[in-house]
Amino acid sequence: MTPLEKRNLKLGLLFCAPWLIGIGTFLLYPIASALIYALCDYSVLLPPVYIGTENYRELFTDPLVYKSLWNTVVYATGSVLLSTLVSLSLALLLNTKVQGLAFYRTVFFLPSLMPVVAGSVLFMWLFNGQSGLINAFLATLGVSGPAWLADPRFAKLAMILMATWGSGHAMVIVLAGLQDVPMALHEAAIIDGATYWDRLWHVTLPMLSPVLYFNVIMGLIGGFQAFTQAFIMTDATGSPERSTLFFVLHLFNVAFQDLRMGYACALACVLFLIILSLTWVLTKVSARFIVYDR
Amino acid sequence: MLALALASACNAQPSLKGPRTIVYWEKWTNFEGEAIARVVQAFNEKELARAQAEPHYRPIQVERVTISRIDEKLLVAIAGGDPPDIAGIYSSLLPAYAQKGALLDLTLPFQHAGIERVDFVPVYWDLCQFKEKMWAAPTAPVSLALHFNPRLFAEAGLNPDRAPVTIEELDAFAERLTRWEVRLPGGGVGIRSGYLNEVPATRKRLLQVGFLPGGPREWLGHWGGYFGGKLLAGSRVTAAAPENLRAYSWMQSYSQQLGVDILRKFRSGFGKFASAQNAFLSGQVAMQLQGVWMHNFIERFAPGMQWSAAPFPFPADRPDLANHSMVEADVLVIPKGAKRPEEALEFLKYATSQEGLELLCLGQHKFTPRATESHAFQKAHSNPKISLFRQLGLSPTAFAAPQTGVWKEYGREMVAAYDAMEHLARTPEEALRDVELRMQSAVDRERRAWLRRERRP
């Protein structure tokens, strides 16, 4: 290595140092610790005691793990499907040439800027079975609305509906993708006599597929880590009847209520594996439907 | 150089005599926070006065910090090696904290400081014990009683001065106090009392219920105690003991009578507990099991409201359970790793003295956990029913959360089980047997962990 290369290497490392230190301290160290503590009985207050795979064995026989995993899968799937549909529909509407477009785009994007905590409190009022606006609206249609968050049959659905509130980010990404669809393809389709729906199905959606795929993956990862809304809306209990006990909420309770950090670390490792496998499967499955070539 | 050294030595002297500051974490806010602030202020002033009288004495000064979700934050602070010197937590958390080595054992310090059981109401003192050691001292005690609304009693034709004594009587009163708005077959609406099982749900709207089991959610696990049930016998979990099954079957009967969906909607219309829309304060519920604090909320959000309280009813065939109440207490602990434990003990001694506790409990409108209370305290107290709550605390049938390190988990399981029972999704047998199974494995796991640590060199 020449002196210049050495100097460049040193300078390069120096410039990378903040990132290296940051990732080492706040990412690699916690990940390594979690892997180790998952094999220990660890309450934070006392030194960890190695117990082998006991935490993992307990995890696989714990009905609450399956219950919380099921709740999370339903929530993540529902919220991703609905959010994708809503963001796509909004983006299509906002991609038209109407007056006050900037205003509409801002209005639809604004809710996604609201913190989840504030949104959760707001939706607790909206979903109130007795005096909530949603049931008041349903009543005008002659429908007697359910108790939503107090009813185990509707609590998850309420949270899925609430997730659409934050579709603004996804909408902006889809909107950017829409504007990237080559006009030539649309024009060619129009010349061939394609209707709006034909163009949507055969031109727009295939061209949007990488963007939609990105939104789905990010949505699923976010959905699997759902916590704040359940924590706020159910006071960390996952009520009613644990119908909103999401995996991360269960993990939180185990870690910070029961002080079983070792077991919580094992749960975190399993969640990581689940998200990783799911992303891999989605990547493989969706490879056939995504059009990258333009 | 010499002059400088001398000057710095002279300057250092006052810092040696400066106050010894201790940090005190407490969860109370509003008037409860103001009450403890007065205790802290009284202690600080006493210390300063002593320092003036004894020139070489370094006074202790308490710096109070109000902390929300104190149970979680305190543990994180202890784990991080930077805990406060003294903290106020709930007695039900003590076993878990003690078991995990988060607290200082205060058995010997209490003996030296003259803090003794004989000076306290036994049940509250015993709440501070775990594995025959003292870990805390009680400050603000809790007992629960049946609160009722005499105006609604009178409207229902009941004697407004007489509370139900037995569970059976409570049920009969509750039915009479339950009111509906009913759509009449010929059009128009009418008000009717009772459970109206014969009227379809589509034609009636619940306006008021006589009694709703439940109360504070975190205490849903304790209802078996009102039927003589226990949750733990030694290291054996007894969630599905016959007394507990009887208690939860009785609680479930309210869902069966009123209808799950109707009850669910009715409940979801309740305002926040600390608001004028509180179900009891707004007259939606005529009788409710609540603690000594309820008076404060009535004074604040429904001043002038007629209310009364009585011991919670007992089953007619169990008169031995009369005057029973769930008890708990706010307690003061010294966390492991506290930088000034001796000074913290001094403050603890004052705060749990008769003077300190009367100052605190008068401000918080509670009774004191001391064995005796001064006449001035009783005379100045604003809660007309305070002697009832104190008697319930002194009652031999008073009961508390089981002393186990897994109580938080146990409590959560009971709340989830209650949810399922209340929604008629599961029978008490199914739900409680499930809790028993899960918690037995948790208790066994905790015991294994304890043994593992004991065996370590």
Side-chain angles (χ1 to χ4, degrees):
Chain A
M1 200 179 273
T2 65
L4 182 67
E5 281 174 339
K6 270 186 190 170
R7 187 171 168 273
N8 281 346
L9 180 67
K10 270 185 196 166
L11 271 177
L13 285 174
L14 194 68
F15 279 113
C16 288
W19 180 82
L20 285 174
I21 293 168
I23 204 163
T25 313
F26 298 114
L27 200 70
L28 296 179
Y29 171 70
I31 289 175
S33 304
L35 288 171
I36 294 166
Y37 290 141
L39 303 171
C40 298
D41 172 18
Y42 183 43
S43 70
V44 185
L45 296 161
L46 296 168
V49 178
Y50 178 75
I51 52 169
T53 56
E54 195 178 309
N55 284 330
Y56 288 103
R57 275 182 279 140
E58 185 186 337
L59 190 152
F60 288 113
T61 55
D62 182 356
L64 275 193
V65 170
Y66 295 103
K67 173 99 183 165
S68 59
L69 198 57
W70 170 247
N71 288 338
T72 311
V73 167
V74 171
Y75 172 78
T77 313
S79 61
V80 164
L81 286 177
L82 202 61
S83 291
T84 306
L85 202 66
V86 168
S87 58
L88 178 65
S89 310
L90 286 175
L92 286 169
L93 285 173
L94 295 176
N95 199 37
T96 53
K97 288 183 178 65
V98 288
Q99 251 188 349
L101 200 59
F103 171 76
Y104 291 125
R105 283 177 184 173
T106 312
V107 164
F108 285 114
F109 181 71
L110 267 180
S112 62
L113 295 179
M114 188 187 270
V116 185
V117 175
S120 303
V121 174
L122 174 74
F123 272 86
M124 280 167 75
W125 280 104
L126 292 175
F127 282 123
N128 188 300
Q130 192 91 337
S131 52
L133 278 181
I134 292 174
N135 275 5
F137 170 72
L138 290 176
T140 61
L141 305 175
V143 178
S144 171
W148 296 106
L149 294 167
D151 189 333
R153 294 166 298 178
F154 291 93
K156 265 197 292 288
L157 176 65
M159 289 199 185
I160 289 171
L161 291 173
M162 185 191 143
T164 57
W165 183 248
S167 299
H169 281 295
M171 178 197 79
V172 167
I173 296 170
V174 178
L175 199 54
L178 275 175
Q179 288 169 2
D180 213 20
V181 178
M183 274 311 288
L185 293 180
H186 279 295
E187 286 162 2
I190 290 168
I191 290 167
D192 287 346
T195 63
Y196 173 80
W197 296 108
D198 290 333
R199 281 188 287 127
L200 178 68
W201 188 250
H202 296 290
V203 178
T204 311
L205 286 181
M207 295 311 287
L208 270 184
S209 56
V211 170
L212 294 176
Y213 169 69
F214 172 80
N215 278 347
V216 166
I217 292 288
M218 296 312 284
L220 269 181
I221 292 172
F224 268 84
Q225 293 177 18
F227 169 75
T228 316
Q229 53 274 63
F231 181 82
I232 299 287
M233 293 165 108
T234 73
D235 203 16
T237 58
S239 65
E241 291 177 41
R242 285 181 166 146
S243 58
T244 57
L245 181 75
F246 297 138
F247 199 86
V248 179
L249 184 60
H250 179 47
L251 190 156
F252 171 85
N253 283 338
V254 167
F256 294 100
Q257 303 268 331
D258 307 339
L259 277 189
R260 300 183 60 210
M261 289 293 173
Y263 187 58
C265 285
L267 285 170
C269 292
V270 168
L271 180 64
F272 170 70
L273 285 178
I274 291 171
I275 294 178
L276 190 72
S277 331
L278 207 68
T279 311
W280 182 80
V281 169
L282 269 176
T283 310
K284 288 284 161 200
V285 171
S286 59
R288 289 176 51 205
F289 308 105
I290 296 176
V291 182
Y292 285 110
D293 187 13
R294 287 186 179 179
Chain B
M1 285 295 281
L2 185 67
L4 269 174
L6 276 173
S8 71
C10 289
N11 283 339
Q13 207 173 1
S15 71
L16 276 175
K17 281 193 162 185
R20 293 170 286 166
T21 305
I22 58 169
V23 178
Y24 167 34
W25 282 13
E26 189 49 89
K27 57 207 163 299
W28 292 314
T29 54
N30 294 328
F31 67 92
E32 291 185 323
E34 286 161 20
I36 191 63
R38 281 195 283 276
V39 176
V40 169
Q41 191 185 350
F43 176 78
N44 286 346
E45 281 170 4
K46 271 177 192 289
E47 284 289 307
L48 290 175
R50 187 177 165 188
Q52 286 214 324
E54 300 171 32
H56 295 290
Y57 181 71
R58 287 181 66 198
I60 302 167
Q61 292 293 286
V62 179
E63 189 185 304
R64 184 178 64 97
V65 183
T66 305
I67 303 277
S68 63
R69 296 188 84 101
I70 197 167
D71 45 340
E72 288 158 22
K73 290 175 189 169
L74 181 62
L75 285 170
V76 174
I78 297 169
D82 189 24
D85 298 290
I86 186 164
I89 60 170
Y90 304 107
S91 58
S92 58
L93 302 174
L94 280 178
Y97 277 56
Q99 208 161 27
K100 292 184 165 69
L103 304 176
L104 288 190
D105 174 5
L106 299 175
T107 317
L108 279 176
F110 275 12
Q111 280 173 17
H112 292 143
I115 302 170
E116 294 175 334
R117 187 175 191 266
V118 70
D119 293 325
F120 290 86
V121 176
V123 73
Y124 296 113
W125 176 270
D126 294 343
L127 287 176
C128 301
Q129 270 183 332
F130 180 62
K131 293 198 185 285
E132 292 164 5
K133 288 177 181 169
M134 286 302 289
W135 302 95
T139 51
V142 164
S143 64
L144 307 180
L146 181 77
H147 287 66
F148 63 97
N149 185 329
R151 182 179 61 83
L152 299 181
F153 268 47
E155 282 174 11
L158 295 165
N159 181 350
D161 299 322
R162 190 181 166 277
V165 176
T166 63
I167 292 282
E168 290 72 7
E169 222 175 5
L170 172 72
D171 290 341
F173 279 34
E175 184 169 359
R176 283 183 68 170
L177 285 159
T178 300
R179 299 173 79 208
W180 305 80
E181 183 187 81
V182 181
R183 271 197 292 123
L184 304 169
V189 288
I191 306 293
R192 284 178 61 190
S193 301
Y195 290 132
L196 306 192
N197 292 329
E198 71 284 2
V199 180
T202 48
R203 283 190 42 226
K204 61 185 180 185
R205 189 169 72 89
L206 190 56
L207 298 175
Q208 171 191 312
V209 290
F211 173 74
L212 272 188
R217 259 186 100 70
E218 60 273 27
W219 291 341
L220 282 172
H222 292 284
W223 281 80
Y226 290 101
F227 285 73
K230 299 246 180 299
L231 292 170
L232 201 66
S235 59
R236 194 167 59 83
V237 176
T238 55
E243 295 87 354
N244 291 331
L245 285 173
R246 187 181 176 194
Y248 288 94
S249 301
W250 169 72
M251 290 168 84
Q252 198 182 45
S253 71
Y254 278 83
S255 293
Q256 288 159 339
Q257 294 284 13
L258 292 161
V260 178
D261 285 329
I262 289 171
L263 199 51
R264 205 179 263 147
K265 272 202 174 175
F266 187 65
R267 266 191 202 281
S268 66
F270 291 175
K272 275 189 170 179
F273 185 82
S275 75
Q277 289 74 42
N278 174 307
F280 182 68
L281 305 190
S282 61
Q284 286 169 291
V285 176
M287 296 183 283
Q288 205 174 49
L289 180 68
Q290 278 297 345
V292 61
W293 56 78
M294 198 61 198
H295 160 71
N296 300 328
F297 291 96
I298 295 170
E299 289 289 293
R300 191 165 165 204
F301 296 108
M305 175 190 173
Q306 287 179 43
W307 70 281
S308 192
F312 193 76
F314 52 86
D317 58 348
R318 292 294 306 270
D320 55 308
L321 295 176
N323 296 321
H324 50 184
S325 170
M326 205 288 281
V327 290
E328 204 183 294
D330 290 279
V331 297
L332 282 178
V333 296
I334 302 181
K336 196 170 247 182
K339 288 167 193 74
R340 292 186 183 275
E342 284 170 21
E343 288 82 355
L345 186 68
E346 279 301 310
F347 173 65
L348 185 147
K349 189 178 173 185
Y350 173 75
T352 58
S353 67
Q354 182 150 353
E355 182 188 328
L357 282 176
E358 289 194 353
L359 195 57
L360 175 75
C361 296
L362 202 59
Q364 296 198 346
H365 312 154
K366 293 170 185 163
F367 57 98
T368 78
R370 297 282 298 188
T372 54
E373 283 177 346
S374 72
H375 181 62
F377 173 81
Q378 289 171 340
K379 208 175 158 195
H381 213 291
S382 61
N383 187 337
K385 288 287 173 184
I386 197 66
S387 58
L388 166 73
F389 288 101
R390 186 171 164 80
Q391 285 310 312
L392 289 171
L394 285 161
S395 168
T397 48
F399 58 91
Q403 288 207 309
T404 165
V406 294
W407 170 241
K408 263 198 159 183
E409 204 176 335
Y410 203 156
R412 272 206 318 273
E413 287 295 325
M414 289 299 287
V415 170
Y418 178 73
D419 262 355
M421 290 185 270
E422 190 190 55
H423 297 152
L424 305 183
R426 307 189 79 183
T427 65
E429 284 82 2
E430 289 167 350
L432 294 177
R433 293 232 181 275
D434 201 23
V435 172
E436 197 167 275
L437 210 65
R438 285 181 56 75
M439 288 322 301
Q440 189 61 61
S441 97
V443 168
D444 292 344
R445 184 190 66 221
E446 201 67 10
R447 209 177 58 238
R448 276 199 312 276
W450 182 264
L451 290 173
R452 214 159 30 217
R453 292 189 188 283
E454 292 282 294
R455 266 192 246 116
R456 289 187 89 192

